[in-house]
């Protein structure tokens, strides 16, 4: 298994050139550049007003090791500090080019300039040194979406099994969705590696509790009860088990990366302001972007009802636990965990298949979402101090 | 035997979950279980049943972790749900 060695020492498993737009007005030019050169992907932030959270995401996505070089496209009058953005990304040692559509002289000239840079950068990316890599070089993000009554029985336990083995092999795993873990606080706190982690975890749980309380969400619904879930502890454990059973080695805030191997919890729950409810996660792609921004090379995504989510810069592996959905949406699913429900496979068997696939995809094999062309991203503004660490 | 679709997610668990609708009288055999259990109620897909007799105040384990406390004594093979199990948090908040 080989990866791309970046100048800052980080290892990538993909070799994209990224075009980043800094306001919606520049989106079309950025898109046109990316569409005309294979190997170039587009992402960006739509707002004209700068947002600390979105800015942090753009910096970390630009620095992401799956990215070889970056072209920043601005309109010219948006408030986001594009010079600072370019400077922060360039601190990773990779090539960063930037253009202002207003200065360059409009759409056609900007697209032409962008295409020239993009072609050069793709050629340069092909020269990137490739090195042997192991689990120790890899960070996985774990997320779920479109869950159903099978999730806690098939997709999540088998993913958790693979996560445990991956960590034993020296790898790093990040999980998130803290508000969905309310109910298993005691168990989570027991798993904290040390007192610092325990205190940070407790602090995050308090904020998550306030958020859940204020929004009146994150409880056992009537539908959950009909499906057989009795308590909030049980429901939360069904979600948590996709992150395995290892001790929690650290708590990350939005945009922070793990400092060593092991299991990390990404706490992106902001403070509840008096006037504004902190937005926790607008959709699954919002969740994937925050995992990428914390350094995840690849995402393990569990589902029951079915998700098609992919990601602009990282492979997403879909693990589906509902046998009906596995059949109906077979082209989207990398791992069929439905056999656990049908009694034809065990958690260990599905977990073993997933672990093998993780290494194959890390080595370059495209995941289903990649093959199908899924390149989603979602970077909203997040007021309410959702990014305290900036 | 192995044809009956149930899952016990951890060896510490004192409940298992039905992976299909199971009628009363179904015999359940699981590894690490001394003898088969007979279901004394219909158990629907996704619902839990007890693997042993459980007394009031005993903890129910799933995923090897407590998910709640028994409120009415439960017999082996009986449906475990809202009528006989309460979450620790919910119990605490009720005082």
């Amino acid at each position: 298994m080989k990866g791309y060695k970046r100048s800052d020492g980080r290892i990538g498993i993909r070799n994209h050139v990224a075009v980043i737009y800094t306001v919606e007005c520049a989106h079309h030019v950025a898109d046109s550049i990316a569409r005309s050169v294979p190997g170039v992907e587009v992402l960006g932030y739509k707002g004209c007003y700068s947002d600390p959270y979105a800015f942090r995401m753009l910096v970390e996505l630009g620095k992401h090791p799956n990215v070889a070089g970056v072209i920043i496209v601005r309109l010219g009058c948006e408030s986001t500090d594009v010079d600072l953005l370019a400077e922060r990304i360039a601190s990773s040692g990779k090539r960063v080019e930037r253009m202002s559509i207003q200065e360059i002289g409009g759409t056609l000239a900007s697209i032409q300039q962008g295409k020239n840079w993009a072609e050069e950068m793709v050629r340069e990316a092909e020269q990137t040194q490739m090195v042997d890599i192991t689990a120790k070089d890899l960070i996985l993000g774990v997320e779920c979406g479109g869950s159903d009554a099978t999730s806690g029985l098939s997709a999540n336990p088998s993913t958790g099994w693979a996560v445990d083995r991956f960590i034993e092999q020296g790898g790093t795993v990040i999980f998130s969705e803290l508000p969905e873990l309310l109910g298993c606080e005691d168990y989570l706190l027991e798993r904290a590696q040390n007192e610092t982690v325990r205190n940070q975890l407790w602090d995050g749980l308090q904020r998550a509790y306030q958020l859940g309380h204020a929004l009146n969400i994150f409880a056992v619904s009537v539908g959950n009860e009909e499906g057989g879930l009795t308590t909030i502890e049980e429901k939360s454990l069904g979600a948590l088990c996709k992150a395995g059973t290892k001790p929690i080695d650290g708590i990350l805030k939005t945009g922070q990366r793990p400092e060593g191997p092991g299991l990390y919890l990404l706490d992106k729950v902001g403070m509840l302001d008096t006037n504004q409810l902190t937005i926790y996660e607008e959709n699954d792609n919002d969740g994937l972007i925050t995992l990428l921004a914390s350094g995840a090379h690849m995402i393990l995504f569990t589902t029951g009802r079915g998700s098609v989510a992919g990601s602009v810069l990282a492979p997403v592996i879909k693990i589906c636990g509902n046998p009906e959905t596995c059949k109906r949406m077979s082209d989207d699913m990398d791992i069929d965990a439905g056999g656990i429900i049908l009694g034809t496979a065990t958690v260990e068997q599905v977990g073993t298949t997933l672990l093998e696939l993780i290494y194959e995809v890390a080595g370059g094999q495209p995941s289903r979402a990649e093959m199908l062309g899924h390149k989603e991203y979602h970077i909203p503004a997040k007021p309410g101090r959702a990014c305290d660490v900036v | 035997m192995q044809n009956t679709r149930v899952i016990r997610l951890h060896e510490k668990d004192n409940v298992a979950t039905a992976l299909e609708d199971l009628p009363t009288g179904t015999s359940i055999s699981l590894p690490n279980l001394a003898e088969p259990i007979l279901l004394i109620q219909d158990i629907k897909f996704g619902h839990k049943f007890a693997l042993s007799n459980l007394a009031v105040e005993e903890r129910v384990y799933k995923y090897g972790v407590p998910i709640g406390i028994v409120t009415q004594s439960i017999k082996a093979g009986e449906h475990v749900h809202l009528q006989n199990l309460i979450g620790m948090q919910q119990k605490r908040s009720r005082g």
Side-chain angles (χ1 to χ4, degrees), chain A residues 267-285:
Chain A
D267 168 11
K268 53 191 177 187
V269 183
M271 302 289 287
L272 280 185
D273 289 336
T274 41
N275 301 323
Q276 258 172 341
L277 277 183
T278 301
I279 298 157
Y280 158 65
E281 194 171 295
E282 285 197 359
N283 56 40
D284 290 335
N285 293 102

Side-chain angles (χ1 to χ4, degrees), chain A residues 148-162 301-304 317-327 329-330 332-354 357, chain B residues 5 7 9 19 45:
Chain A
D148 68 10
T150 66
S151 298
L153 302 172
S154 50
N156 289 350
S158 50
T159 301
W161 189 93
F301 193 108
T302 65
T303 188
I317 293 180
K318 226 71 96 316
I319 303 106
C320 179
N322 182 320
E324 287 303 313
T325 309
C326 288
K327 252 190 274 173
M329 296 176 64
S330 60
D332 287 288
M333 303 308 165
D334 296 274
I335 295 285
D336 179 347
I340 297 168
I341 302 296
L342 299 173
T344 56
T346 64
V347 167
E348 290 81 348
Q349 283 166 351
V350 174
T352 304
T353 310
L354 172 57
L357 185 66
Chain B
R5 283 152 52 188
I7 190 166
L9 287 150
L19 297 175
F45 167 77

